Amino acid sequence: MKRILVTGGAGFVGSHLCESLLNQGNDVVCLDNFFTGKKEKIIHLLDNKYFELVRQDVTMPYYIEVDEIYNLACPASPVHYQYNPIKTIKTSVMGAINMLGLAKRIKAKILQASTSEVYGDPELHPQPESYWGHVNPIGIRSCYDEGKRCAESLFINYHQQNNVKIKIIRIFNTYGPKMEPDDGRVVSNFIVQALQGNDITIFGDGKQTRSFQYVSDLVEGMTRMMATDDSFTGPINIGNPGEFTMLELASEIINITGTKSKIVYMPLPKDDPTQRQPDITLAREILNGWEPKVQLREGLIQTINYFDELLSNQKEK
Ligand code: NAD
Ligand code: UDP
């Protein structure tokens, strides 16, 4: 049994990760300040004596003895990370410094949840790990993109200077049950709009692309990455290469839900990347046969069922 700290463990991805780590027989400590996370996502785990919840901000030093740290604390939806951009940078940078300092002191292995946003609006397609990216350092997304890029630099430097055992994963757009209805990201927005019969809001002309990964594939990739040889640090892309335009995503959701919602077009936010697709050659090679298993339609059906139940329960209350 390993003792594992998950920062951001009460968020969308973190709550799935905590559950999976507990199911694998680990002792899990979830640290969260509940900025975008919610107790409801992990409340069912509180009865498990191998699960602990700590209300703590990752920008403040925290001490605990664990074998592994998964550092996920950071808002991920543009709406949330742009709400308080200075706090977003602090969370990425000071959070990384605090967690790396802890990992160094207690000799724990530490994994950073980095992002495809480090590639910015990419000029190379699909994106391999060797691509340095195309990021506007002063744009509205920079608090997130540059915060995550700085965190990657901190991770590599703690590894090279202090021999900290690090793992960097670059996560591409991930969706699934336990996203919040007001999360603001495209999959949850379109599904909630479709289920409520509201207009489906496409930003720009809807021809921009994203590659959507179902959350169980991500969690599997994360735990496999943590288990790789200490000499392998990454970065490594974790995503599903299936690439779709936002119009295709909207029409798939309209098709599955049978909604009468209409598509409406809204202004494209500044610096919105035009395309995104992971090159996962490295992950396929290193992560012991890992492969994204859940394709878009199947994952959307699971997520739509989740939101359908959630929204019905909320209506009853
Ligand atoms: P989320 O917003 O649901 O979860 C983030 C969690 O971190 C929340 O529980 C939040 O309360 C917590 N948090 C935020 N600031 C904190 C702070 N200062 N101290 C302690 N806790 C704090 O987002 P998510 O989709 O679950 O993303 C999890 C991680 O994965 C993030 O680091 C994100 O950047 C990364 N990521 C996610 C995606 C994706 O598509 N879901 C893509 C790329 C990277
Ligand atoms: N988007 C959209 N309608 C929405 C929300 C988002 O068309 O209601 C678009 C957004 O402009 C972007 C894509 O969907 O091009 C993915 O947005 P999201 O916020 O999910 O993730 P990110 O831009 O960080 O990849």
Side-chain angles (χ1 to χ4, degrees):
M1 179 185 268
K2 274 183 276 191
R3 225 179 303 162
I4 303 179
L5 175 65
V6 179
T7 78
F12 159 52
V13 175
S15 58
H16 285 277
L17 178 65
C18 287
E19 203 171 298
S20 165
L21 293 172
L22 282 169
N23 288 341
Q24 287 165 32
N26 298 295
D27 189 334
V28 176
V29 179
C30 162
L31 177 156
D32 209 293
N33 71 347
F34 301 113
F35 175 53
T36 49
K38 279 217 173 123
K39 268 192 197 157
E40 283 73 12
K41 288 200 218 299
I42 34 112
I43 207 149
H44 61 294
L45 304 177
L46 289 174
D47 286 340
N48 187 325
K49 61 180 189 242
Y50 296 110
F51 183 74
E52 286 162 73
L53 175 61
V54 181
R55 183 189 290 262
Q56 163 87 16
D57 196 305
V58 81
T59 61
M60 300 292 168
Y62 178 69
Y63 184 81
I64 187 172
E65 291 201 355
V66 289
D67 305 298
E68 294 176 352
I69 303 169
Y70 287 84
N71 188 36
L72 274 65
C74 185
S77 163
V79 185
H80 296 308
Y81 71 63
Q82 286 162 17
Y83 170 75
N84 184 345
I86 296 171
K87 179 68 197 239
T88 300
I89 302 178
K90 283 188 180 171
T91 295
S92 273
V93 176
M94 292 165 68
I97 292 171
N98 286 329
M99 288 304 124
L100 284 161
L102 176 65
K104 177 184 161 190
R105 191 163 165 192
I106 61 174
K107 297 192 177 4
K109 202 172 355 170
I110 179 166
L111 179 144
Q112 168 68 354
S114 190
T115 167
S116 55
E117 288 288 320
V118 300
Y119 301 125
D121 190 3
E123 293 153 308
L124 183 65
H125 195 70
Q127 295 79 53
E129 290 83 355
S130 54
Y131 179 50
W132 291 355
H134 181 226
V135 173
N136 176 357
I138 56 166
I140 56 168
R141 297 173 81 98
S142 67
C143 59
Y144 183 72
D145 303 7
E146 298 290 14
K148 290 282 187 178
R149 285 167 67 98
C150 182
E152 285 200 13
S153 172
L154 283 162
F155 267 70
I156 283 294
N157 286 304
Y158 267 78
H159 172 68
Q160 287 168 353
Q161 211 175 314
N162 296 130
N163 295 317
V164 175
K165 293 176 211 152
I166 63 143
K167 307 278 171 194
I168 300 171
I169 59 166
R170 291 183 179 154
I171 305 170
F172 282 66
N173 297 63
T174 303
Y175 70 99
K178 293 201 199 171
M179 290 185 95
E180 287 297 307
D182 62 355
D183 176 89
R185 281 175 277 188
V186 69
V187 175
S188 46
N189 270 12
F190 285 3
I191 291 178
V192 171
Q193 289 161 347
L195 290 173
Q196 295 183 329
N198 296 329
D199 290 343
I200 294 188
T201 53
I202 294 221
F203 299 166
D205 61 9
K207 291 186 184 139
Q208 69 273 36
T209 67
R210 294 292 186 274
S211 302
F212 297 104
Q213 161 173 246
Y214 192 66
V215 65
S216 55
D217 286 329
L218 169 60
V219 169
E220 183 65 34
M222 284 176 121
T223 50
R224 285 192 193 207
M225 176 62 171
M226 188 61 111
T228 53
D229 194 274
D230 285 349
S231 62
F232 182 69
T233 60
I236 195 166
N237 289 337
I238 311 259
N240 187 324
E243 186 185 9
F244 299 87
T245 65
M246 295 313 104
L247 273 168
E248 286 168 337
L249 175 70
S251 75
E252 191 73 306
I253 291 171
I254 290 171
N255 180 282
I256 299 170
T257 55
T259 182
K260 294 199 166 58
S261 294
K262 287 192 297 293
I263 285 179
V264 295
Y265 292 88
M266 313 226 341
L268 186 70
K270 274 193 103 194
D271 295 338
D272 199 281
T274 47
Q275 54 182 5
R276 268 295 160 62
Q277 188 188 32
D279 178 334
I280 56 166
T281 312
L282 186 64
R284 282 188 171 123
E285 183 192 317
I286 300 277
L287 301 183
N288 199 19
W290 173 84
E291 181 78 29
K293 288 198 187 111
V294 184
Q295 296 315 321
L296 186 66
R297 190 176 170 86
E298 190 190 338
L300 284 178
I301 292 171
Q302 302 288 337
T303 313
I304 289 166
N305 289 342
Y306 168 79
F307 275 113
D308 200 16
E309 200 183 322
L310 184 83
L311 296 175
S312 311
N313 288 345
Q314 282 179 354
K315 218 171 167 185
E316 268 173 34
K317 275 188 196 162

